[in-house]
Amino acid sequence: MEISITRTTTPKAKPEKGAALGFGKIFTDHMFVMDYCPEKGWHDARIVPYAPLMMDPASMVLHYGQAIFEGMKAYKTKEGKILLFRPDKNMARTNSSNDRLCIPKIDEEFCTKALCELIKVDQDWIPQEKDTALYIRPFIIATDVHLGVKPSQTYKYIIILSPVGSYYPEGINPVKIYVEDNYVRAVKGGMGHTKTAGNYAASIKAQEVAQEKGYTQVLWLDGVERKYVEEVGTMNVFFVIDGKVVTPALEGSLLPGVTRDSVIQILKYWGVPCEERRLSIQELYEANDAGKLDEAFGTGTAAVISPIGELNWEGKIATINGGKTGPIAERLYNSITDIQNGRAEDVLGWTYEVK
Ligand code: COI
């Protein structure tokens, strides 16, 4: 499929060098769009000026949330090369989410090419200061004009780009996390393993309540027994207990994060033991009482590695590593961001050059 390119005639001012970018507030000049209908499949691939979408108010996505998205980042190296990080994993996860949401599959190779073309058009928007990147948000929405509940017949696949800094205002400094014991995010058999809008809609009430109490995010427990740790707000979660790294196993209700997988593989490469298993909140608190909860951190594309300095579970406060960033979290952050930005040798073959 050909990709047509229409360039904007009114380019926007780019952020000043060194300006605080925040997360997801600024958008580049162009976006990629393609449409789906049963007769033509995915078609009409185009890069067009970034603009609002015209939508019928009865579009199905607005009512039933048949939507999926991804999060990726592009980096510009000192030498001016543009790198993506494991885009194949995001493309594969798009199709896994599509399958659960009854959305037609995308051609992963074609969509990677489309993404590269879009990034090339907007490459001057890639920030180069430390801890910044061009965040990539591909998403698919159901566009049938219909109020019955059924899979839509038509869709739009869109990619937008946003120069970003740290996801949390804390940056690489530890965040305080509230252990959620009232609301649940997902259960096995639901959509927790997909990147669908509804999972995030389900999470925002808990996040709001936690923030009112002075916490940045929540740590979700399993939706059945409220006993086992699952993930943190917008990240997967890891703990270092008595020198061993532990992360909840993927059992259907949590997101198979690309950064999560990368952390597990890097730890293996370093020879640091990492277990994927069920982990109860009780076990964590007991480890903390015994002085064996060495570190905790979240992982995600947006947040990269986000150390956790404090947990609050039913009013019991666990301060982790004295509320400071631990050595494993710091080493992982440096190692991953160095590979992503082309500052370190890509020993695991994860970077993908946009050409
Ligand atoms: C990401 O880490 O890329 C995400 O998609 C999380 C997000 C909801 C900001």
Side-chain angles (χ1 to χ4, degrees), residues 272-292:
V272 176
C274 178
E275 294 173 359
E276 292 178 76
R277 64 167 169 89
R278 286 195 140 194
L279 173 63
S280 71
I281 185 72
Q282 186 73 37
E283 179 185 338
L284 277 183
Y285 269 70
E286 281 170 12
N288 194 50
D289 289 345
K292 291 182 176 171

Side-chain angles (χ1 to χ4, degrees), residues 23 69-73 90 93 135-137 167 195 200 233-235 255 259 299-304:
F23 183 87
F69 69 94
E70 273 301 323
M72 307 162 76
K73 279 176 176 168
N90 296 86
R93 191 171 62 186
Y135 188 76
I136 301 163
R137 172 52 60 85
Y167 184 72
K195 226 163 157 56
Y200 296 81
T234 57
M235 305 182 285
L255 192 77
T259 313
T299 66
T301 298
V304 197

Side-chain angles (χ1 to χ4, degrees), residues 85-86 88 339 345-352:
F85 185 70
R86 309 186 77 190
D88 52 319
I339 292 174
E345 193 192 341
D346 180 14
V347 282
L348 292 157
W350 284 338
T351 56
Y352 179 102

Side-chain angles (χ1 to χ4, degrees), residues 211-350:
Q211 283 175 351
E212 277 163 13
K213 294 181 171 144
Y215 290 82
T216 304
Q217 272 289 350
V218 299
L219 174 63
W220 295 106
L221 300 180
D222 74 279
V224 179
E225 296 180 76
R226 315 278 167 91
K227 202 168 150 188
Y228 297 101
V229 168
E230 297 231 306
E231 61 180 71
V232 176
T234 57
M235 305 182 285
N236 292 114
V237 69
F238 287 73
F239 299 91
V240 186
I241 305 174
D242 207 11
K244 250 197 211 139
V245 185
V246 184
T247 193
L250 300 177
E251 292 183 342
S253 53
L254 53 121
L255 192 77
V258 178
T259 313
R260 175 189 181 278
D261 182 75
S262 307
V263 162
I264 293 170
Q265 291 201 45
I266 290 180
L267 290 170
K268 209 170 178 189
Y269 180 80
W270 288 343
V272 176
C274 178
E275 294 173 359
E276 292 178 76
R277 64 167 169 89
R278 286 195 140 194
L279 173 63
S280 71
I281 185 72
Q282 186 73 37
E283 179 185 338
L284 277 183
Y285 269 70
E286 281 170 12
N288 194 50
D289 289 345
K292 291 182 176 171
L293 181 55
D294 308 332
E295 283 187 53
F297 54 90
T299 66
T301 298
V304 197
I305 304 289
S306 177
I308 297 171
E310 178 181 315
L311 292 177
N312 179 337
W313 177 40
E314 296 175 342
K316 293 178 291 243
I317 307 288
T319 303
I320 304 166
N321 194 42
K324 299 204 190 71
T325 302
I328 295 187
E330 185 156 354
R331 187 173 172 207
L332 282 165
Y333 180 85
N334 291 335
S335 169
I336 291 180
T337 53
D338 281 352
I339 292 174
Q340 289 171 330
N341 286 279
R343 294 189 293 257
E345 193 192 341
D346 180 14
V347 282
L348 292 157
W350 284 338

